[in-house]
Amino acid sequence: MPELVFFSGTMDCGKSTLALQIEHNRSARGLQGMIFTRDDRAGQGKLSSRLGLVTDAVEVADGQDLYAYLVDHLSQGGRADYVIADEAQFLAEEQIDQLARVVDDLGVDVYAFGITTDFRSKLFPGSQRLVELADRVEVLQVEALCWCGARATHNARTVGGAMVVEGAQVVVGDVNQADAVAYEVLCRRHFRRRMTSASARAGALSPDVLPVSS
C-alpha cells in the first residue's frame, strides 16, 4: 500500500542525504520520481546535502497545489512512481493535505523530509500537519551532536554566534557558517540556557573574576 512517510530530525542529521539516497535507489531500478523542495541551501530548484550531493527539484511556490501539479504532469504523459518532498517544514498545511491526497487518490508513495520544530522550539505548521497525517513518522537515527557532545534535539538560530529567540519563523541559513544569521543544533540543556558553541568558548576564555576585598 502506498504511504505518506515523514522523516524528521534536527538540522545536520542527514535528512537530505537520505532523500538523495532514496532517489538514487529507486532511479537505479528504473523508477521515476517527482522531487519537491523549498528554500534549499543550494538555491532554487535544488535538493542538496552537506556531503556535496545535489540534484534538480521542483521549487514549491506559495499557494501552489501539489496534487494538481502531479495530475497535470501525469496527464501530459509524465511518470511519477514516487514523490520526495524535502524541506517539508516550509510547506503550508494545505500542501501537506495535497501530498496525502497524492498517496490516497493517485496511489503514489510520498517521502517527506523536514525538521519538526523551529528556532523557538515551536512546531512548524507543515511538520505538525505531517505528524497528524503521516502513515509513519521516522526519526532519523544519525544523531546530530551539540557542541558539548550530547545528542542535539533543538535547532537554534544565531546572530554573530549569539542565540536569538525572536524573529520570523522562516529565515534561510545554514549550520557552521559565519553569516549574520546562522543555525546551530543544541541539546535541550544548552538550548534552554541559550549557550551556543561561541558563547561557551567566550566563557571559557574569560579570566576568573578576582574577589573584591572589603
Side-chain angles (χ1 to χ4, degrees):
M1 295 292 291
E3 289 185 306
L4 171 59
V5 186
F6 179 33
F7 295 92
S8 68
T10 62
M11 298 182 71
D12 211 21
C13 75
K15 296 181 301 302
S16 296
T17 301
L18 178 58
L20 287 162
Q21 184 68 55
I22 288 176
E23 160 65 13
H24 170 76
N25 290 351
R26 280 154 180 74
S27 62
R29 296 296 179 266
L31 301 176
Q32 294 183 22
M34 176 69 66
I35 303 176
F36 293 114
T37 191
R38 173 130 191 192
D39 295 332
D40 188 273
R41 68 184 71 83
Q44 287 201 346
K46 299 294 181 182
L47 165 57
S48 67
S49 82
R50 293 187 179 87
L51 298 183
L53 304 173
V54 63
T55 191
D56 292 330
V58 176
E59 184 76 15
V60 178
D62 289 339
Q64 183 175 0
D65 188 326
L66 303 185
Y67 177 81
Y69 186 94
L70 259 295
V71 169
D72 183 63
H73 174 75
L74 295 171
S75 67
Q76 295 185 41
R79 283 180 59 185
D81 301 307
Y82 58 92
V83 171
I84 291 174
D86 197 36
E87 305 293 356
Q89 73 274 6
F90 296 144
L91 300 181
E93 293 179 71
E94 56 268 24
Q95 290 172 326
I96 302 301
D97 289 337
Q98 293 155 11
L99 291 177
R101 189 180 177 193
V102 167
V103 176
D104 296 338
D105 293 0
L106 301 182
V108 175
D109 285 312
V110 174
Y111 306 103
F113 299 80
I115 58 179
T116 309
T117 57
D118 64 16
F119 71 105
R120 300 164 299 184
S121 73
K122 303 294 184 182
L123 286 168
F124 281 99
S127 299
Q128 178 176 331
R129 193 62 179 146
L130 275 165
V131 171
E132 293 166 348
L133 291 183
D135 297 292
R136 286 188 291 127
V137 177
E138 301 281 352
V139 178
L140 296 195
Q141 297 304 307
V142 178
E143 295 181 346
L145 299 179
C146 177
W147 60 264
C148 69
R151 184 170 72 91
T153 54
H154 289 68
N155 306 292
R157 180 182 294 171
T158 63
V159 175
M163 180 175 159
V164 296
V165 293
E166 295 182 353
Q169 186 176 53
V170 178
V171 176
V172 177
D174 203 353
V175 297
N176 302 323
Q177 290 190 359
D179 297 334
V181 176
Y183 291 88
E184 182 175 351
V185 290
L186 300 174
C187 65
R188 185 179 63 235
R189 179 176 62 156
H190 288 126
F191 182 87
R192 290 179 57 246
R193 295 178 179 179
R194 302 187 186 182
M195 186 177 291
T196 65
S197 57
S199 61
R201 285 195 301 269
L205 293 174
S206 297
D208 293 335
V209 177
L210 297 175
V212 178
S213 58
S214 55

